[in-house]
Amino acid sequence: MISVKKAQSIINDNIRPLGSESILLKNVGNRINGQNITAPFSVPLFNNSAMDGFAVRAVDTEGAKKYSPITFMMVGTSSAGTPSNITLQPGECVQCMTGGKIPEGADSIVIVENSSGFSDSKTVEIYKEANIGDHIRRQGEEIQEGDVIISMGTCITPSEIGILATFGYEKVSVMIKPKVAIFVTGNELVEPGNKIKSGQIYNSNLYMLSELAEKSGVEIVMSEVIKDDKDSLRKLLSNALQICDIIISSGGVSMGRFDYVREIYNELGVQEHFWKVAQKPGKPLFFGTMKSSLIFGLPGNPISSLICYVEYIHSTIHGFQKKKKDSKYRAILTENFAVENKKHRYLFGQSWIDPSSGKLFCSPTSKLGSHMLTASIESNCILESPPGKQGLKAGDKITINLLNWRNF
Ligand code: AMP
Ligand code: MG
């Protein structure tokens, strides 16, 4: 039996990123950026107006006041998309809308509220002095050409999509999604929608693991329910090993008489890196490799499967895509946490930021069994403690792993 730390480092050593592919901007949501993306031009691209108003030479406005306005000659209009090609002479102004290019010779904008207003007349009264640069968005003030705008490994969210469009990227290089097979095993499993007989249970893990895999951003290429039967296991697993980067099985990997998963993996030539980790839940976790495929055998108890997925597989998938790691946090316990003597203890729980102190607090679920999937309901994190002699008390700090799809 190995430690959690050792198990994580063995898995990390076997992660081989898959490279990138170019896809259309409209499809890049939630994908992982595959390379550092630089600005092909400076932004703003040209000096333009931040407000609706008049482009002037600031010097010409000296002394302008509401009750002693200065009259300017109105010599043109510049609006967003329709610049004026006029070069401003002393005493002249151009009506300039938000986003409109600043005409040559102008060095500031007087907002329309400080004037007699837009019109078709040849003159306008300006009521306020301007300073050089007023209400002008300067060329390059936001980003310089060649600056990195989105770094490799960033998850592409609405802001990144907007930024990519701002810089005219029609296609984006994103990390290839790992191909994943998910198997759940068990003679007792019945699909939701069917009648359940004595001794049977509904199959929850396939649905839960598939949704988790979607959240991690993979391509699910196989998802199957298998009986505890060597032949069907052999057939499906050998098929998956040909085409998948990651194979995830649930159940059949413990000490039971009908737990054949490990045996079949070994028989098919999977190199076993570990089986059994000093943790609770999830002790029988299996990890192996075959060529470049990673194989995870999760124990079938739903909470064990769920915690092993979040703690080991979610981060592996991020590793495949070189995604920047999500960090774990330290939070203050509001209840005692029973630490295990020899095992790393994981429990679902809730975490929240106390509005008055701004501190991060957490509390574990009171449902301790690994068969109790409802322990995870309304949880937003997994609390974890390494093995130890003493339990943690309310007020002590503990590490939490915030579930990616939940919030504080
Ligand atoms: P196993 O790891 O196969 O020994 O299974 C451990 C426990 O998890 C047993 O009580 C199983 O019935 C249960 N279990 C296994 N697979 C699933 C599944 N897909 N959905 C719900 N419970 C399961
Ligand atoms: Mg089983």
Side-chain angles (χ1 to χ4, degrees):
M1 192 145 67
I2 61 168
S3 70
V4 163
K5 228 176 157 179
K6 182 77 187 156
Q8 280 162 343
S9 94
I10 291 173
I11 295 170
N12 277 337
D13 290 345
N14 282 283
I15 295 174
R16 312 263 176 274
L18 293 173
S20 54
E21 61 180 338
S22 177
I23 63 169
L24 284 173
L25 180 62
K26 65 180 169 111
N27 299 326
V28 297
N30 271 327
R31 298 294 298 266
I32 311 300
N33 183 27
Q35 59 187 42
N36 282 341
I37 296 178
T38 54
F41 48 80
S42 300
V43 164
L45 197 47
F46 47 88
N47 287 344
N48 68 84
S49 181
M51 300 289 276
D52 296 319
F54 294 88
V56 296
R57 296 164 4 118
V59 64
D60 297 345
T61 65
E62 258 173 45
K65 289 199 176 60
K66 176 87 192 178
Y67 299 107
S68 57
I70 296 178
T71 302
F72 279 69
M73 296 300 294
M74 211 146 62
V75 292
T77 304
S78 173
S79 60
T82 313
S84 149
N85 54 11
I86 283 163
T87 301
L88 224 60
Q89 303 301 324
E92 291 180 349
C93 70
V94 161
Q95 308 187 70
C96 198
M97 310 307 140
T98 303
K101 192 172 177 187
I102 304 292
E104 290 296 319
D107 58 19
S108 52
I109 294 286
V110 174
I111 60 173
V112 66
E113 292 86 337
N114 293 327
S115 74
S116 53
F118 295 132
S119 72
D120 291 329
S121 96
K122 292 210 157 41
T123 61
V124 63
E125 290 185 337
I126 296 293
Y127 301 151
K128 203 172 174 201
E129 285 187 355
N131 296 306
I132 290 177
D134 277 359
H135 309 298
I136 292 182
R137 302 164 173 167
R138 277 176 300 103
Q139 193 263 335
E141 73 176 6
E142 184 184 346
I143 294 277
Q144 290 290 312
E145 180 180 338
D147 284 353
V148 172
I149 43 174
I150 305 174
S151 57
M152 181 174 167
T154 305
C155 182
I156 299 177
T157 71
S159 342
E160 281 78 21
I161 293 178
I163 292 163
L164 288 162
T166 298
F167 286 94
Y169 284 101
E170 184 199 14
K171 285 187 148 190
V172 185
S173 164
V174 295
M175 299 306 293
I176 293 171
K177 289 182 175 186
K179 291 190 170 60
V180 169
I182 303 172
F183 297 109
V184 300
T185 66
N187 291 341
E188 72 278 33
L189 302 177
V190 175
E191 286 307 285
N194 295 304
K195 263 217 148 107
I196 210 158
K197 296 196 198 110
S198 166
Q200 295 184 320
I201 58 165
Y202 284 117
N203 161 26
S204 59
N205 290 358
L206 186 69
Y207 298 91
M208 180 178 74
L209 290 168
S210 302
E211 185 59 19
L212 284 163
E214 289 291 345
K215 296 266 185 250
S216 311
V218 303
E219 187 186 341
I220 300 175
V221 290
M222 291 174 82
S223 78
E224 305 276 347
V225 186
I226 323 179
K227 295 273 177 236
D228 294 313
D229 158 71
K230 290 190 188 178
D231 285 339
S232 8
L233 272 170
R234 200 177 287 119
K235 192 163 150 242
L236 280 161
L237 293 177
S238 64
N239 193 2
L241 284 165
Q242 306 296 320
I243 53 172
C244 293
D245 303 301
I246 300 175
I247 294 168
I248 303 167
S249 64
S250 125
V253 79
S254 308
M255 301 297 288
R257 208 175 141 192
F258 309 105
D259 288 346
Y260 301 129
V261 169
R262 180 173 172 240
E263 182 186 328
I264 299 297
Y265 279 144
N266 284 323
E267 193 189 291
L268 292 171
V270 170
Q271 186 194 344
E272 180 174 309
H273 291 274
F274 61 79
W275 176 55
K276 290 191 177 170
V277 181
Q279 63 183 11
K280 187 176 174 183
K283 185 176 91 174
L285 178 65
F286 171 98
F287 175 68
T289 53
M290 193 164 149
K291 296 190 195 128
S292 58
S293 306
L294 269 49
I295 297 106
F296 294 89
L298 311 182
N301 270 313
I303 283 287
S304 312
S305 270
L306 182 47
I307 287 183
C308 286
Y309 184 97
V310 173
E311 292 294 327
Y312 295 97
I313 304 179
H314 195 53
S315 54
T316 298
I317 291 165
H318 289 171
F320 262 88
Q321 305 193 297
K322 292 195 176 168
K323 185 180 175 185
K324 289 179 188 159
K325 291 252 157 62
D326 303 300
S327 49
K328 293 192 174 183
Y329 303 86
R330 297 282 289 167
I332 304 163
L333 280 163
T334 56
E335 286 163 40
N336 296 349
F337 185 97
V339 169
E340 291 284 314
N341 228 329
K342 297 204 165 113
K343 290 184 200 152
H344 201 95
R345 183 58 161 135
Y346 294 107
L347 277 178
F348 273 94
Q350 292 194 330
S351 59
W352 64 95
I353 295 169
D354 173 52
S356 55
S357 65
K359 287 183 178 161
L360 179 59
F361 289 95
C362 67
S363 71
T365 173
S366 57
K367 294 181 181 173
L368 304 182
S370 61
H371 57 295
M372 300 176 175
L373 190 53
T374 53
S376 66
I377 225 136
E378 287 182 9
S379 288
N380 64 356
C381 64
I382 295 171
L383 283 63
E384 63 172 297
S385 166
K389 296 267 171 289
Q390 274 181 337
L392 295 170
K393 300 254 172 311
D396 289 346
K397 282 198 168 167
I398 191 166
T399 299
I400 63 165
N401 189 0
L402 186 69
L403 301 175
N404 248 215
W405 42 95
R406 288 268 168 86
N407 247 314
F408 286 126

